[in-house]
Amino acid sequence: MSLKIAVIAGDGIGPEVTAEAVRVLTAVRPDIEFEHALFGGAAYDDCGDPYPQATHDLLASADSVLLGAIGGPKWEGLERSKTPEAGLLGMRGALNLYANLRPAKTYAALADASPVKAGADCDMLIVRELTGGIYFGKPRERRENGTVAIDTMVYSVMEVERIARRAFEAARTRRSSVVSVDKANVLESSRLWREVVETVAPDYPDVELRHQLVDSCAMLLIKDPGQFDVILTGNLFGDILSDEASMITGSLGMLPSASLGDPKNGQAFGVFEPIHGSAPDIAGQNVANPLAAILSGAMMLNALGDSDGAGRIETVVDAVLNSGVRTADLGGSVGTTEMGDSVLAAL
Ligand SMILES: NC(=O)c1ccc[n+]([C@@H]2O[C@H](COP(=O)([O-])OP(=O)(O)OC[C@H]3O[C@@H](n4cnc5c(N)ncnc54)[C@H](O)[C@@H]3O)[C@@H](O)[C@H]2O)c1
């Protein structure tokens, strides 16, 4: 069955890396129909809205979405609701993308790039709740003439249960271990989180569950990242821990991610994107590493049931790295399009 994929190239290096991902996906799946949409800073420049209705309609009607990256200094001074980041949060909420899956794996060919001694053993999946917690809780406001600021951490049983199930199910396809991360010694929302995860666990007797406080998890990630298989956590802790985990692999430009909602017409639906941002410092120079975007395409194919296509891309990326081809972030001098060329040639 042919696929309709919405493409948000975005800002900064987004268009450069997304172009390579589209080239590779086209080679693997010539039947994919790509439709481009404006979003983030580019959409604000076009119509004053980072998440225009026309973009929402296109995304909602697509089989899935491929996103580059958004944001940059050009849009930093805008009122909060107009920023590219507000567009991103708005999209996650509007499309109900509650499950953020971030694999962090050190490639054998890049083991020396890890800044951490034990980094070569890193192969984990962070399952982060994406539409709740402190990024969405109300009230969020200033009081007392702007001298007091309030954010609110809220979680409901339903929100915790559905993300916990995603984590247990993902663990079944990996090494059958879930570490649920919270701050239950201090936060009431974390106590609820822990209780709900405990009630879900018996449905997955084949998966081992452990609870870990977020501060000690941050330490263990550096000391012994190899012990983690699936990390299940909330929006704020997941944001921070997943960036920490990505650095352990030594290569921000290598890591893909998926933000998933409930299946649509029985099929997975989500936004697939590199974990890196728009990298304004290197935008327009053809030096960005496009592999995270290309691997995001593989993750998308996998979620949509084409594990053969996904496997082909992943195998080829491994082969290209093993052959010594490297962009600047990996210590080489190959450009963005040349890295795309190498992947296409290996395919
Ligand atoms: N989902 C998203 O679109 C997303 C995620 C994170 C940050 N951002 C936005 O991106 C902008 C820049 O943020 P930042 O600088 O903190 O993070 P960043 O990820 O854009 O860049 C951090 C560093 O990593 C480098 N880098 C990132 N991706 C790379 C790649 N593919 N190849 C080679 N080097 C790469 C950059 O050059 C920079 O030195 C901000 O406006 C931020 O809000 C967007």
Side-chain angles (χ1 to χ4, degrees):
M1 195 182 69
S2 74
L3 295 170
K4 179 172 137 182
I5 302 301
V7 179
I8 295 171
D11 308 316
I13 63 168
E16 298 169 59
V17 297
T18 309
E20 301 312 310
V22 168
R23 284 210 296 156
V24 170
L25 281 169
T26 305
V28 175
R29 286 287 302 260
D31 59 325
I32 293 181
E33 190 191 323
F34 294 100
E35 290 201 36
H36 292 258
L38 280 178
F39 185 82
Y44 175 81
D45 287 349
D46 183 66
C47 66
D49 181 354
Y51 186 31
Q53 184 64 43
T55 294
H56 173 77
D57 294 344
L58 175 64
L59 305 190
S61 70
D63 289 307
S64 263
V65 181
L66 194 64
L67 190 149
I70 53 98
K74 184 177 173 194
W75 302 282
E76 267 166 19
L78 296 175
E79 98 182 49
R80 196 175 63 202
S81 67
K82 301 287 184 195
T83 60
E85 290 75 14
L88 200 57
L89 288 181
M91 177 181 76
R92 289 172 182 165
L95 297 175
N96 196 26
L97 303 174
Y98 60 85
N100 187 211
L101 273 48
R102 284 185 170 209
K105 166 183 147 184
T106 305
Y107 282 79
L110 303 177
D112 289 346
S114 175
V116 173
K117 243 191 271 170
D121 289 335
C122 182
D123 180 5
M124 70 183 80
L125 174 71
I126 299 193
V127 177
R128 166 191 169 198
E129 201 288 326
L130 200 60
T131 53
I134 199 161
Y135 292 176
F136 285 85
K138 299 261 170 44
R140 177 185 353 176
E141 62 195 26
R142 291 288 182 103
R143 289 185 188 163
E144 298 175 32
N145 292 327
T147 59
V148 174
I150 298 175
D151 293 287
T152 307
M153 181 101 127
V154 187
Y155 269 117
S156 69
V157 170
M158 180 275 288
E159 287 174 314
V160 182
E161 182 175 339
R162 65 184 180 179
I163 193 71
R165 290 195 183 282
R166 290 278 183 152
F168 281 107
E169 273 152 30
R172 280 185 162 164
T173 68
R174 296 173 50 94
R175 303 195 303 277
S176 297
S177 155
V178 169
V179 174
S180 175
V181 175
D182 59 38
K183 189 71 183 166
N185 55 343
V186 177
L187 299 175
E188 198 53 39
S189 55
S190 280
R191 283 149 91 120
L192 178 80
W193 181 280
R194 203 174 268 216
E195 278 166 34
V196 176
V197 173
E198 280 291 333
T199 61
V200 170
D203 291 346
Y204 304 87
D206 47 324
V207 178
E208 183 205 1
L209 169 67
R210 197 174 90 222
H211 299 282
Q212 192 83 50
L213 295 173
V214 63
D215 36 1
S216 59
C217 180
M219 289 193 292
L220 289 172
L221 275 174
I222 301 295
K223 190 174 166 217
D224 179 20
Q227 70 173 266
F228 293 103
D229 177 20
V230 173
I231 290 180
L232 160 66
T233 191
N235 208 342
L236 173 65
F237 301 152
D239 198 359
I240 298 165
L241 293 178
S242 58
D243 269 26
E244 185 187 352
S246 74
M247 282 321 295
I248 294 167
T249 71
S251 43
L252 198 59
M254 291 294 307
L255 300 180
S257 76
S259 303
L260 305 174
D262 283 325
K264 220 167 81 173
N265 307 321
Q267 184 176 275
F269 172 80
V271 173
F272 297 81
E273 59 179 311
I275 66 151
H276 60 72
S278 60
D281 52 333
I282 57 168
Q285 299 172 28
N286 192 42
V287 296
N289 183 351
L291 291 179
I294 290 169
L295 289 166
S296 300
M299 231 180 146
M300 181 179 76
L301 289 186
N302 210 9
L304 292 170
D306 182 2
S307 52
D308 286 352
R312 276 184 74 199
I313 296 175
E314 286 161 358
T315 304
V316 159
V317 167
D318 252 336
V320 166
L321 290 172
N322 288 335
S323 72
V325 179
R326 302 272 190 280
T327 41
D329 57 310
L330 304 177
S333 57
V334 160
T336 310
T337 47
E338 290 73 25
M339 180 57 101
D341 290 343
S342 298
V343 172
L344 283 169
L347 271 173

